Amino acid sequence: MLGRATWRELMDDRPLLVLPLGSTEQHGPHLPLDTDTRVASAVAHGLADRLEPLLIGPVMPYGASGEHAGFPGTVSLGTQVLEQAVVELVRSADDTARAVVVVNGHGGNTAALQSARRILAGEGRPVHLWAPTAALAGAVGVPAAERDLHAGRSETSLLLHLAPDLVRLDLAAAGPSPSLDELMAHGVATLSPSGVLGNPAGASAAEGARLLDAYVDNAVERLLSWARRHGITPPAVRPVDRSA
């Protein structure tokens, strides 16, 4: 853990640095504002459980959440500021890590991250981006996962697994299921007064555990592939015990 180390403990090795990135934004009436942050942190720590050596940085709880404007609790850096923040963070990591991996828990951060990666690639600083996909949710049985955009079944299941005490299932209700293009064009408040885009019905902690496992499996596979493509010595893989 980067935050718990002293600088002398980091002198002799330059591992991959994993930066979890989330958001602080509304997630309907039943999920906490830090839902995306919790998911990003869980995936990052799942990577550390599976690969070594990895250095996990403190989770960044603010992202680009402009599409969630109009809901109390949403606090956003915006795309341009987030892009510059990521650029500066990666530049400053030169003395610490040989490359940086960003685990992104919020889809609204994507444009900033892709732009930051292009800038950093031009400077010779490799950055790997990982984010969850609807395909992974569909693979573990989430119905209509491609339309489960926000505070629906996937995120509700994940939070029932990660922080069940923060889930208000009695307040969960279905919202509309627009396309991603409609969401970005109109914003959440116009489409769904509750803030939910999808249907939380059927969510369970067991499904959340399966979904998190799928996320970590995919993140491990993609990180190792990326490292090999970029000539970076990949971290070693720890064996996984799935007997429990």
Side-chain angles (χ1 to χ4, degrees):
M1 294 286 292
L2 178 63
R4 296 181 182 179
T6 67
W7 72 267
R8 289 184 182 274
E9 292 173 309
L10 302 175
M11 287 177 62
D12 298 328
D13 194 13
R14 294 178 72 246
L16 292 175
L17 174 61
V18 180
L19 298 178
L21 172 62
S23 70
T24 300
E25 63 184 36
Q26 72 82 22
H27 273 79
H30 67 293
L31 294 180
L33 297 166
D34 66 352
T35 289
D36 294 337
T37 302
R38 289 178 181 272
V39 172
S41 181
V43 174
H45 284 85
L47 279 172
D49 289 340
R50 296 276 303 277
L51 300 172
E52 61 179 349
L54 284 184
L55 188 61
I56 307 298
V59 63
M60 185 172 177
Y62 301 109
S65 301
E67 70 274 18
H68 295 278
F71 292 92
T74 296
V75 181
S76 173
L77 291 175
T79 296
Q80 290 184 334
V81 172
L82 178 60
E83 172 198 304
Q84 192 58 40
V86 171
V87 167
E88 295 299 335
L89 283 171
V90 173
R91 286 172 176 166
S92 71
D94 285 349
D95 294 327
T96 305
R98 63 182 184 271
V100 172
V101 175
V102 178
V103 172
N104 176 32
H106 170 50
N109 296 338
T110 302
L113 290 174
Q114 290 177 341
S115 180
R117 180 171 60 180
R118 286 192 295 270
I119 293 169
L120 292 160
E123 300 173 355
R125 293 180 170 92
V127 176
H128 175 54
L129 306 178
W130 183 90
T133 66
L136 293 172
V140 302
V142 175
E146 71 282 356
R147 293 277 178 155
D148 186 47
L149 294 182
H150 190 74
R153 180 161 165 171
S154 296
E155 291 188 319
T156 303
S157 287
L158 284 164
L159 266 291
L160 283 170
H161 171 57
L162 294 172
D165 56 315
L166 297 181
V167 180
R168 292 83 160 174
L169 275 182
D170 58 315
L171 300 178
S177 297
S179 68
L180 182 59
D181 288 342
E182 290 173 312
L183 166 59
M184 300 312 294
H186 302 291
V188 178
T190 299
L191 299 170
S192 174
S194 74
V196 177
L197 300 175
N199 189 353
S204 70
E207 183 174 83
R210 294 195 303 272
L211 186 51
L212 181 60
D213 282 344
Y215 284 0
V216 173
D217 286 346
N218 181 261
V220 167
E221 179 182 348
R222 288 180 55 191
L223 191 159
L224 293 174
S225 176
W226 169 83
R228 295 186 186 105
R229 288 197 314 271
H230 287 80
I232 297 169
T233 302
V237 180
R238 293 190 177 111
V240 179
D241 181 4
R242 299 192 189 273
S243 60

